Amino acid sequence: TGLGLADGHDVLIRDGWASFAGAVAEVLSDSGLRSRIAGHARSTAEQRFSWNAIQEHAYQSYWQVLGRRSQVSAADELAS
């Protein structure tokens, strides 16, 4: 997907309402599948979509726009 999520790993992707409803029913009836996908989805969200991840990506992109790469992370910059 455009978000880099993987079907069956951290999301269930289906085409059409019928297959989506089937996937929802499967997740609701299979606690192992539900737990596994939930765990992967949370980990993905924390690693890629948290404020820390977003601010680091933004910080590095600002340096690229300026034509240079920072050797320091945003967190290191804020600590100094």
Side-chain angles (χ1 to χ4, degrees), residues 11-24:
V11 69
L12 293 177
I13 302 169
R14 301 293 181 268
D15 290 326
W17 290 108
S19 58
F20 176 73
V24 170

Side-chain angles (χ1 to χ4, degrees), residues 42-76:
R42 180 178 180 116
S43 177
T44 297
E46 289 172 348
Q47 292 173 6
R48 297 185 41 221
F49 306 116
S50 70
W51 285 116
N52 286 338
I54 292 168
Q55 66 90 27
E56 183 60 36
H57 179 74
Y59 183 79
Q60 294 302 326
S61 68
Y62 298 151
W63 282 108
Q64 288 176 346
V65 167
L66 293 172
R68 53 189 165 180
R69 288 197 87 149
S70 170
Q71 299 301 315
V72 210
S73 74
D76 292 339

